[in-house]
Amino acid sequence: MAIHIKNNVNWVGQRDWEIRDFHGTEYKTDKGTSYNSYLIQEEKTVLIDTVDSKFSLEFVQNLEQMIDLNDIDYIVVNHAEEDHSGAMTALMAKIPNTPIYCTKNAIDSIVGHHHHPEWNFHTIKTGDSLDIGNGKQLIFIEAPMLHWPDSMMTYLTGDAILFSNDAFGQHYCDERLFNDEVDQTELMEQCLRYYSNILTPFSSLVTAKINEVLSFNVPVDMIATSHGIVWRDNPIQIIEKYLEWANDYQEDRITLFYDSMSNNTRMMADAIAQGIHEVDSQVAVKVFNVSRHDKNEILANVFRSKAIMVGSSTMNNVMMPKIAGMLEEMTGLRFKNKSASAFGSFGWNGGAVDRIHSRMVDAGFQMTEGLKAKWKPDGDAIAKCRAHGRMVARQWALRDLSEDVVRPVIEKKPSVIQAVPVAKNSDDKPVDTGSCQICTVCQWVYDPAVGEINQGVEPGTPWEEVPDYFLCPDCGLGKDVFAVVQKDAAA
Ligand code: FEO
């Protein structure tokens, strides 16, 4: 199958709807991907990149349906990673002497993967060109470490197409090939996910390379990436996005992620998030449990955030392993211009928070003091978590918060449940405040006539008016695990 791109250029790649893991299992491709290969048929016939090795057979068969493979004059390998050069062994078995144009580093990688040092390699450098007839040329641009040492881009004069390989691409699969045809929200989400999880460490190189390409002052009508869509509608938009993302990007957003052995650190995270929102109603606050959420989505949120908070229970006096893995990955991604703070619950030793703090200093975050809670947070501890949230919200604010309408803060309540009055009518009969609610996890019962004074819920408060941040006093879970129960059954 081929898709016409422009004039004598066709897409001859492969879609991969079912792939869910990339780079081992480190990148979740929840929208699939594509491996974009391009065939240029001017006086000379040129193939730009191939596809992943698992599609070698289909790729070569497809090409043979279109052309005699012996008509291919040149193969350009923009990047040697297996998702783009994987089909080279199958292809070169058919046309073994075809010239291959690539960087010096790519020869090392291609030979390392395919074990054919005898292939007809031609080394290129930035500015080298290849005449392909009909007045058109290919001009090569090395792009080392974007994102491998061998990476390069190829520019087709006349048609003004930049074959950018991984850069400006995204793991996204759609039968529609062009950027103006697909869902724009999905597309930009996948672009940001790709940049934040793969290209962040190389942001300074991204800026320098884009400025170098722009300095050539050549038109760019299309950017033909090697994953996902082809940018034909305003292709400059993705270049502008890359420049923005590469410039220590941040939004007014705070991301919390944690792992929690017994829900105690989770309770802290919820309360801190509530505290942040109490003083800053506009900042986006996102909370993730690393055991339950997609790691790449969490990292994309870290990328978008001005600050993050990392929580862990203390286990064997260290942090939980999934948190340690996240810190290692964030160290490698080399985020810049972000604040951070650690938190977590502990029993007899509280080593996790201190270790998170020092690891995040090493990873380049500007640290704010952390917060520890011993055992399961009681009402006082939850109030302290909220206060901590309010403190960091003020410290990290990007705007003047004095104009904000501050949400009412529930002040300190007794930490031991007191005998509480039941709401009554003037005739001294209990008010009918609706059904009781039972926690389906631990069976604790909320009686509207009694309320839950430790969380500021007054007697007589119907369930519908209990705040969303309410937590079961016994197991610490939220309102969503409660179900209606008859008062008689609850008694
Ligand atoms: Fe899409 Fe770096 O390979």
Side-chain angles (χ1 to χ4, degrees):
M1 185 187 99
I3 299 174
H4 184 239
I5 299 288
K6 184 177 183 183
N7 297 329
N8 296 321
V9 183
N10 283 285
W11 177 92
V12 290
Q14 175 70 44
R15 294 205 171 87
D16 192 346
W17 286 97
E18 68 177 27
I19 188 169
R20 287 296 175 267
D21 291 306
F22 217 85
H23 292 162
T25 57
E26 293 306 316
Y27 190 109
K28 297 293 178 197
T29 43
D30 55 351
K31 301 289 184 194
T33 194
S34 65
Y35 316 102
N36 297 340
S37 171
Y38 301 93
L39 187 67
I40 305 171
Q41 293 169 285
E42 299 293 348
E43 289 177 53
K44 299 290 185 184
T45 298
V46 184
L47 183 69
I48 297 198
D49 291 323
T50 67
V51 300
D52 191 274
S53 56
K54 69 185 176 188
F55 293 106
S56 293
L57 180 67
E58 293 104 305
F59 176 71
V60 173
Q61 277 179 355
N62 185 41
L63 274 180
E64 285 177 323
Q65 294 292 315
M66 295 179 63
I67 55 169
D68 180 343
L69 294 182
N70 290 300
D71 289 344
I72 297 177
D73 295 291
Y74 311 122
I75 298 171
V76 173
V77 176
N78 277 326
H79 178 29
E81 197 170 358
E82 280 289 270
D83 50 330
H84 307 295
S85 73
M88 285 292 285
T89 295
L91 180 64
M92 296 303 285
K94 304 257 183 179
I95 46 173
N97 297 317
T98 308
I100 300 168
Y101 287 78
C102 61
T103 63
K104 185 167 180 286
N105 283 326
I107 297 173
D108 181 54
S109 301
I110 295 168
V111 172
H113 282 102
H114 297 270
H115 312 298
H116 284 286
E118 78 282 5
W119 284 351
N120 184 8
F121 292 109
H122 293 252
T123 306
I124 66 85
K125 290 189 178 307
T126 293
D128 288 353
S129 62
L130 185 61
D131 196 325
I132 60 172
N134 296 331
K136 296 181 184 176
Q137 292 182 317
L138 295 177
I139 299 174
F140 303 111
I141 306 148
E142 295 168 280
M145 296 318 296
L146 295 177
H147 66 118
W148 270 21
D150 64 86
S151 298
M152 71 170 191
M153 304 182 194
T154 300
Y155 178 76
L156 172 60
T157 65
D159 292 327
I161 301 175
L162 180 67
F163 298 95
S164 62
N165 198 263
D166 281 332
F168 312 123
Q170 65 296 143
H171 288 307
Y172 183 55
C173 198
D174 198 299
E175 286 298 322
R176 297 164 294 188
L177 185 60
F178 297 100
N179 68 304
D180 50 294
E181 299 176 307
V182 301
D183 183 300
Q184 298 300 295
T185 303
E186 275 188 355
L187 172 61
M188 293 316 293
E189 273 178 8
Q190 292 304 317
C191 287
L192 185 139
R193 181 182 175 94
Y194 191 90
Y195 188 97
S196 57
N197 279 269
I198 294 178
L199 292 174
T200 299
F202 314 115
S203 285
S204 58
L205 298 174
V206 168
T207 306
K209 184 53 61 179
I210 288 177
N211 286 331
E212 179 188 331
V213 172
L214 293 177
S215 74
F216 297 158
N217 210 19
V218 293
V220 177
D221 281 358
M222 283 189 185
I223 298 177
T225 70
S226 285
H227 293 296
I229 55 82
V230 170
W231 299 93
R232 74 173 173 189
D233 176 48
N234 184 22
I236 298 304
Q237 66 179 289
I238 191 61
I239 293 177
E240 289 172 344
K241 270 288 167 206
Y242 265 46
L243 288 172
E244 190 182 345
W245 289 337
N247 187 24
D248 298 348
Y249 183 74
Q250 62 169 232
E251 299 171 14
D252 195 7
R253 173 178 294 251
I254 298 173
T255 295
L256 293 85
F257 67 82
Y258 63 88
D259 204 355
S260 186
M261 290 178 74
S262 309
N263 252 323
N264 303 337
T265 298
R266 197 273 299 160
M267 291 172 69
M268 294 180 73
D270 285 355
I272 292 168
Q274 290 156 11
I276 294 169
H277 186 63
E278 280 166 2
V279 296
D280 189 347
S281 59
Q282 292 183 29
V283 64
V285 184
K286 301 293 175 185
V287 181
F288 301 95
N289 181 329
V290 294
S291 294
R292 303 187 195 285
H293 283 92
D294 169 20
K295 178 191 73 172
N296 304 112
E297 185 188 352
I298 299 173
L299 290 170
N301 273 276
V302 170
F303 173 76
R304 294 174 64 180
S305 294
K306 63 182 178 182
I308 66 168
M309 302 188 74
V310 181
S312 174
S313 316
T314 292
M315 188 174 79
N316 299 327
N317 206 27
V318 297
M319 71 187 87
M320 295 181 72
K322 289 190 179 67
I323 293 297
M326 287 293 285
L327 296 188
E328 187 71 1
E329 187 143 9
M330 288 198 305
T331 303
L333 288 171
R334 300 199 277 283
F335 293 112
K336 291 196 173 63
N337 192 30
K338 296 189 191 300
S339 299
S341 178
F343 66 94
S345 75
F346 66 100
W348 52 99
N349 260 319
V353 171
D354 298 333
R355 288 175 76 89
I356 292 170
H357 186 101
S358 61
R359 293 285 308 281
M360 295 193 71
V361 169
D362 294 345
F365 288 83
Q366 291 98 54
M367 297 303 293
T368 296
E369 66 180 286
L371 182 68
K372 300 177 187 175
K374 189 167 167 60
W375 300 119
K376 183 183 292 295
D378 61 7
D380 282 346
I382 288 295
K384 283 181 185 152
C385 290
R386 281 211 186 92
H388 188 70
R390 294 194 292 273
M391 184 272 289
V392 295
R394 290 190 185 99
Q395 186 169 334
W396 296 336
L398 298 181
R399 63 198 176 83
D400 181 3
L401 297 180
S402 60
E403 299 300 313
D404 264 36
V405 177
V406 178
R407 295 178 65 214
V409 175
I410 299 167
E411 293 302 342
K412 184 176 185 304
K413 301 292 178 186
S415 57
V416 177
I417 296 176
Q418 308 288 320
V420 290
V422 171
K424 292 184 177 173
N425 287 322
S426 54
D427 59 2
D428 210 37
K429 292 202 171 135
V431 176
D432 183 7
T433 47
S435 304
C436 292
Q437 298 277 331
I438 190 166
C439 173
T440 55
V441 175
C442 73
Q443 314 303 303
W444 182 85
V445 173
Y446 174 80
D447 184 346
V450 176
E452 214 300 86
I453 197 67
N454 287 305
Q455 297 182 59
V457 182
E458 299 293 339
T461 305
W463 181 246
E464 294 71 28
E465 293 176 23
V466 172
D468 290 341
Y469 52 76
F470 177 87
L471 301 172
C472 172
D474 275 3
C475 70
L477 295 178
K479 283 184 75 178
D480 54 342
V481 303
F482 280 75
V484 174
V485 64
Q486 295 304 318
K487 287 196 180 193
D488 288 346

